[in-house]
Amino acid sequence: MTATNKPGLEVCLSPALLHLFDVKNSIVVIIDVLRATSTICTALYNGASRVIPVSSVEECVHIGRAIDGITAGERDGKVAEGLVHGNSPFEYPRDFIENKTLVLTTTNGTKLLHMAKDAIQIITGSFPNISAVCDYLIAQNKNVILGCAAWKDRVNMEDTLFAGAVVNRIKAHFEVNCDSAVLAESMYQAAQPDLIGFMKQASHYRRLANYGLEKDIAYCLTPDGANVLPLFKDGELIAG
């Protein structure tokens, strides 16, 4: 808590900066908008029993075989070699994923999640579950770090935009003494009238658009399409 008796709200723009933040005394929100955290909340919203995030393709395959789970993931925006499914939220409708375990590996999101393991609590956030994230953070009344997965440690636009959207919604309940939080909110306010149009400047937009994934991008930038709260417990993400 800060001098105002409000908890602090900070934005970490890259995993490379996480060591500068007080993770142990904070709730950490893992943000990987395009597309890991959008896919995680969608799978859980559609009835997945759990999502197991792992760092490597090899680990993904090994765990998937051991538990008869669905192995999925991407590297650089494409389905990873050796896995059956990718990182698109549209791959996980209810009639496919309900009551199943998704074992997921991604380029950036799973790395940050494991880096934040000492947090009070870890949740995952994206536009499809923004209301669930904001309601939870307000109710917990604890320090919050909005952790952007970024792109190979380089700051990216989509995760910063989501962090800014959260700051914009919940800042009245927090003490915001963090320049990156102010920057993220300012960027979101500039982009908010046309998020998709704004995102067309982003490197990852172009990367995914080259694979014909504009529909994925639009879904991942749309609020509350899968409004469930993924909570990280004992190495698994479950619907809170």
Side-chain angles (χ1 to χ4, degrees):
M1 293 286 180
T2 62
T4 62
N5 290 322
K6 290 181 179 180
L9 176 61
E10 298 178 297
V11 172
C12 176
L13 294 172
S14 163
L17 299 170
L18 189 66
H19 68 282
L20 301 173
F21 293 80
D22 185 10
V23 171
K24 289 184 179 179
N25 291 303
S26 305
I27 296 169
V28 175
V29 184
I30 305 297
I31 302 165
D32 190 0
V33 170
L34 296 178
R35 294 167 290 169
T37 56
S38 299
T39 297
I40 287 164
C41 67
T42 300
L44 291 172
Y45 183 77
N46 286 332
S49 58
R50 55 185 173 159
V51 178
I52 301 176
V54 297
S55 299
S56 70
V57 172
E58 293 75 20
E59 190 179 6
C60 188
V61 171
H62 175 74
I63 293 173
R65 284 177 181 158
I67 65 170
D68 194 27
I70 294 166
T71 58
E74 52 79 23
R75 287 295 178 268
D76 299 336
K78 295 184 284 188
V79 178
E81 189 175 345
L83 300 178
V84 179
H85 297 279
N87 204 20
S88 170
F90 294 112
E91 291 188 65
Y92 305 102
R94 183 169 293 273
D95 59 6
F96 173 68
I97 197 64
E98 190 168 25
N99 298 320
K100 295 176 183 172
T101 296
L102 178 64
V103 188
L104 182 69
T105 180
T106 70
T107 305
N108 305 292
T110 46
K111 170 189 168 185
L112 178 59
L113 197 152
H114 291 294
M115 286 174 66
K117 65 184 186 304
D118 293 330
I120 294 171
Q121 177 66 60
I122 297 172
I123 65 173
T124 68
S126 59
F127 286 100
N129 72 328
I130 187 170
S131 291
V133 168
C134 291
D135 291 347
Y136 174 81
L137 296 177
I138 292 168
Q140 293 303 302
N141 196 39
K142 291 182 170 66
N143 296 328
V144 171
I145 299 167
L146 302 175
C148 300
W151 178 258
K152 300 180 181 179
D153 283 343
R154 297 175 69 163
V155 172
N156 72 10
M157 196 175 287
E158 61 273 15
D159 296 346
T160 305
L161 278 174
F162 177 76
V166 173
V167 172
N168 186 254
R169 285 200 187 195
I170 71 174
K171 64 183 179 181
H173 301 271
F174 291 83
E175 176 72 17
V176 181
N177 184 23
C178 170
D179 287 5
S180 51
V182 175
L183 285 167
E185 186 193 14
S186 298
M187 187 168 125
Y188 170 71
Q189 288 172 321
Q192 196 270 333
D194 181 11
L195 274 182
I196 294 173
F198 192 87
M199 267 297 296
K200 287 181 179 178
Q201 307 170 77
S203 60
H204 204 37
Y205 182 101
R206 294 194 293 272
R207 198 175 290 114
L208 294 178
N210 284 338
Y211 303 139
L213 295 170
E214 290 92 344
K215 184 181 173 187
D216 279 33
I217 297 167
Y219 173 84
C220 293
L221 296 175
T222 301
D224 295 338
N227 202 29
V228 68
L229 186 77
L231 291 167
F232 189 60
K233 291 185 176 178
D234 302 321
E236 302 173 353
L237 288 152
I238 57 171

